[in-house]
PDB file of all heavy atoms in Angstrom:
ATOM      1  N   GLY A 424      17.729  42.459  -6.275  1.00 80.00           N
ATOM      2  CA  GLY A 424      16.760  42.328  -7.350  1.00 80.00           C
ATOM      3  C   GLY A 424      15.463  41.710  -6.866  1.00 80.00           C
ATOM      4  O   GLY A 424      15.432  40.968  -5.879  1.00 80.00           O
ATOM      5  N   LEU A 425      14.373  42.017  -7.583  1.00 83.00           N
ATOM      6  CA  LEU A 425      13.049  41.549  -7.181  1.00 83.00           C
ATOM      7  C   LEU A 425      12.954  40.033  -7.237  1.00 83.00           C
ATOM      8  O   LEU A 425      12.427  39.404  -6.323  1.00 83.00           O
ATOM      9  CB  LEU A 425      11.989  42.180  -8.097  1.00 83.00           C
ATOM     10  CG  LEU A 425      10.536  41.802  -7.805  1.00 83.00           C
ATOM     11  CD1 LEU A 425      10.155  42.202  -6.392  1.00 83.00           C
ATOM     12  CD2 LEU A 425       9.600  42.463  -8.815  1.00 83.00           C
ATOM     13  N   LYS A 426      13.469  39.418  -8.303  1.00 79.00           N
ATOM     14  CA  LYS A 426      13.388  37.955  -8.424  1.00 79.00           C
ATOM     15  C   LYS A 426      14.170  37.279  -7.306  1.00 79.00           C
ATOM     16  O   LYS A 426      13.698  36.279  -6.727  1.00 79.00           O
ATOM     17  CB  LYS A 426      13.911  37.495  -9.779  1.00 79.00           C
ATOM     18  CG  LYS A 426      13.781  35.978  -9.991  1.00 79.00           C
ATOM     19  CD  LYS A 426      14.304  35.537 -11.331  1.00 79.00           C
ATOM     20  CE  LYS A 426      14.047  34.045 -11.542  1.00 79.00           C
ATOM     21  NZ  LYS A 426      14.573  33.201 -10.453  1.00 79.00           N
ATOM     22  N   ALA A 427      15.360  37.803  -6.983  1.00 80.00           N
ATOM     23  CA  ALA A 427      16.168  37.205  -5.909  1.00 80.00           C
ATOM     24  C   ALA A 427      15.435  37.282  -4.574  1.00 80.00           C
ATOM     25  O   ALA A 427      15.464  36.326  -3.785  1.00 80.00           O
ATOM     26  CB  ALA A 427      17.513  37.911  -5.827  1.00 80.00           C
ATOM     27  N   ARG A 428      14.763  38.404  -4.320  1.00 84.00           N
ATOM     28  CA  ARG A 428      14.017  38.534  -3.056  1.00 84.00           C
ATOM     29  C   ARG A 428      12.833  37.567  -3.034  1.00 84.00           C
ATOM     30  O   ARG A 428      12.532  36.986  -1.985  1.00 84.00           O
ATOM     31  CB  ARG A 428      13.553  39.982  -2.881  1.00 84.00           C
ATOM     32  CG  ARG A 428      14.693  40.955  -2.566  1.00 84.00           C
ATOM     33  CD  ARG A 428      14.169  42.258  -2.007  1.00 84.00           C
ATOM     34  NE  ARG A 428      13.382  42.990  -2.982  1.00 84.00           N
ATOM     35  CZ  ARG A 428      13.874  43.871  -3.841  1.00 84.00           C
ATOM     36  NH1 ARG A 428      15.188  44.111  -3.859  1.00 84.00           N
ATOM     37  NH2 ARG A 428      13.102  44.519  -4.679  1.00 84.00           N
ATOM     38  N   ARG A 429      12.160  37.407  -4.188  1.00 83.00           N
ATOM     39  CA  ARG A 429      11.049  36.449  -4.246  1.00 83.00           C
ATOM     40  C   ARG A 429      11.552  35.028  -4.024  1.00 83.00           C
ATOM     41  O   ARG A 429      10.916  34.241  -3.316  1.00 83.00           O
ATOM     42  CB  ARG A 429      10.334  36.561  -5.599  1.00 83.00           C
ATOM     43  CG  ARG A 429       9.245  37.616  -5.639  1.00 83.00           C
ATOM     44  CD  ARG A 429       8.232  37.312  -6.722  1.00 83.00           C
ATOM     45  NE  ARG A 429       8.840  37.263  -8.030  1.00 83.00           N
ATOM     46  CZ  ARG A 429       8.695  38.195  -8.976  1.00 83.00           C
ATOM     47  NH1 ARG A 429       7.941  39.243  -8.736  1.00 83.00           N
ATOM     48  NH2 ARG A 429       9.259  38.069 -10.145  1.00 83.00           N
ATOM     49  N   ASP A 430      12.690  34.693  -4.655  1.00 83.00           N
ATOM     50  CA  ASP A 430      13.257  33.350  -4.488  1.00 83.00           C
ATOM     51  C   ASP A 430      13.626  33.095  -3.028  1.00 83.00           C
ATOM     52  O   ASP A 430      13.423  31.987  -2.506  1.00 83.00           O
ATOM     53  CB  ASP A 430      14.495  33.182  -5.370  1.00 83.00           C
ATOM     54  CG  ASP A 430      14.155  33.115  -6.847  1.00 83.00           C
ATOM     55  OD1 ASP A 430      12.970  32.928  -7.169  1.00 83.00           O
ATOM     56  OD2 ASP A 430      15.078  33.274  -7.676  1.00 83.00           O
ATOM     57  N   LEU A 431      14.163  34.109  -2.359  1.00 87.00           N
ATOM     58  CA  LEU A 431      14.539  33.951  -0.958  1.00 87.00           C
ATOM     59  C   LEU A 431      13.307  33.767  -0.079  1.00 87.00           C
ATOM     60  O   LEU A 431      13.300  32.922   0.839  1.00 87.00           O
ATOM     61  CB  LEU A 431      15.342  35.158  -0.487  1.00 87.00           C
ATOM     62  CG  LEU A 431      15.820  35.122   0.971  1.00 87.00           C
ATOM     63  CD1 LEU A 431      16.713  33.909   1.221  1.00 87.00           C
ATOM     64  CD2 LEU A 431      16.546  36.418   1.339  1.00 87.00           C
ATOM     65  N   MET A 432      12.250  34.511  -0.363  1.00 89.00           N
ATOM     66  CA  MET A 432      11.009  34.365   0.407  1.00 89.00           C
ATOM     67  C   MET A 432      10.436  32.962   0.239  1.00 89.00           C
ATOM     68  O   MET A 432      10.001  32.334   1.214  1.00 89.00           O
ATOM     69  CB  MET A 432       9.989  35.419  -0.037  1.00 89.00           C
ATOM     70  CG  MET A 432      10.299  36.827   0.439  1.00 89.00           C
ATOM     71  SD  MET A 432       9.069  38.015  -0.152  1.00 89.00           S
ATOM     72  CE  MET A 432       7.585  37.360   0.588  1.00 89.00           C
ATOM     73  N   GLU A 433      10.438  32.450  -1.014  1.00 89.00           N
ATOM     74  CA  GLU A 433       9.907  31.108  -1.233  1.00 89.00           C
ATOM     75  C   GLU A 433      10.787  30.067  -0.556  1.00 89.00           C
ATOM     76  O   GLU A 433      10.279  29.095   0.014  1.00 89.00           O
ATOM     77  CB  GLU A 433       9.796  30.794  -2.729  1.00 89.00           C
ATOM     78  CG  GLU A 433       9.229  29.409  -2.976  1.00 89.00           C
ATOM     79  CD  GLU A 433       8.768  29.192  -4.394  1.00 89.00           C
ATOM     80  OE1 GLU A 433       8.027  30.039  -4.927  1.00 89.00           O
ATOM     81  OE2 GLU A 433       9.153  28.165  -4.971  1.00 89.00           O
ATOM     82  N   TYR A 434      12.113  30.266  -0.594  1.00 90.00           N
ATOM     83  CA  TYR A 434      13.009  29.328   0.082  1.00 90.00           C
ATOM     84  C   TYR A 434      12.675  29.267   1.573  1.00 90.00           C
ATOM     85  O   TYR A 434      12.602  28.176   2.169  1.00 90.00           O
ATOM     86  CB  TYR A 434      14.465  29.760  -0.116  1.00 90.00           C
ATOM     87  CG  TYR A 434      15.441  28.953   0.715  1.00 90.00           C
ATOM     88  CD1 TYR A 434      15.865  27.697   0.302  1.00 90.00           C
ATOM     89  CD2 TYR A 434      15.919  29.457   1.932  1.00 90.00           C
ATOM     90  CE1 TYR A 434      16.741  26.950   1.077  1.00 90.00           C
ATOM     91  CE2 TYR A 434      16.793  28.711   2.708  1.00 90.00           C
ATOM     92  CZ  TYR A 434      17.203  27.469   2.268  1.00 90.00           C
ATOM     93  OH  TYR A 434      18.059  26.727   3.043  1.00 90.00           O
ATOM     94  N   LYS A 435      12.467  30.416   2.197  1.00 93.00           N
ATOM     95  CA  LYS A 435      12.137  30.446   3.621  1.00 93.00           C
ATOM     96  C   LYS A 435      10.799  29.772   3.891  1.00 93.00           C
ATOM     97  O   LYS A 435      10.630  29.074   4.905  1.00 93.00           O
ATOM     98  CB  LYS A 435      12.116  31.896   4.118  1.00 93.00           C
ATOM     99  CG  LYS A 435      13.502  32.548   4.165  1.00 93.00           C
ATOM    100  CD  LYS A 435      13.410  33.989   4.655  1.00 93.00           C
ATOM    101  CE  LYS A 435      14.781  34.625   4.771  1.00 93.00           C
ATOM    102  NZ  LYS A 435      14.699  36.042   5.229  1.00 93.00           N
ATOM    103  N   GLU A 436       9.828  29.969   2.993  1.00 93.00           N
ATOM    104  CA  GLU A 436       8.514  29.326   3.157  1.00 93.00           C
ATOM    105  C   GLU A 436       8.633  27.807   3.031  1.00 93.00           C
ATOM    106  O   GLU A 436       7.971  27.060   3.758  1.00 93.00           O
ATOM    107  CB  GLU A 436       7.532  29.867   2.118  1.00 93.00           C
ATOM    108  CG  GLU A 436       7.131  31.321   2.310  1.00 93.00           C
ATOM    109  CD  GLU A 436       5.920  31.469   3.203  1.00 93.00           C
ATOM    110  OE1 GLU A 436       5.581  30.515   3.922  1.00 93.00           O
ATOM    111  OE2 GLU A 436       5.309  32.554   3.164  1.00 93.00           O
ATOM    112  N   ILE A 437       9.481  27.332   2.110  1.00 95.00           N
ATOM    113  CA  ILE A 437       9.671  25.891   1.955  1.00 95.00           C
ATOM    114  C   ILE A 437      10.340  25.310   3.195  1.00 95.00           C
ATOM    115  O   ILE A 437      10.002  24.200   3.645  1.00 95.00           O
ATOM    116  CB  ILE A 437      10.506  25.582   0.696  1.00 95.00           C
ATOM    117  CG1 ILE A 437       9.733  25.984  -0.574  1.00 95.00           C
ATOM    118  CG2 ILE A 437      10.878  24.100   0.637  1.00 95.00           C
ATOM    119  CD1 ILE A 437       8.432  25.250  -0.793  1.00 95.00           C
ATOM    120  N   GLN A 438      11.283  26.052   3.786  1.00 94.00           N
ATOM    121  CA  GLN A 438      11.902  25.592   5.034  1.00 94.00           C
ATOM    122  C   GLN A 438      10.875  25.526   6.154  1.00 94.00           C
ATOM    123  O   GLN A 438      10.899  24.607   6.994  1.00 94.00           O
ATOM    124  CB  GLN A 438      13.075  26.504   5.420  1.00 94.00           C
ATOM    125  CG  GLN A 438      14.189  26.577   4.396  1.00 94.00           C
ATOM    126  CD  GLN A 438      14.598  25.227   3.861  1.00 94.00           C
ATOM    127  OE1 GLN A 438      15.067  24.357   4.599  1.00 94.00           O
ATOM    128  NE2 GLN A 438      14.412  25.019   2.559  1.00 94.00           N
TER     129      GLN A 438
END
Side-chain angles (χ1 to χ4, degrees):
L425 180 59
K426 183 180 185 306
R428 289 197 294 271
R429 273 203 300 253
D430 290 346
L431 181 59
M432 286 179 60
E433 181 165 311
Y434 172 81
K435 290 180 177 179
E436 292 271 17
I437 294 298
Q438 300 314 298

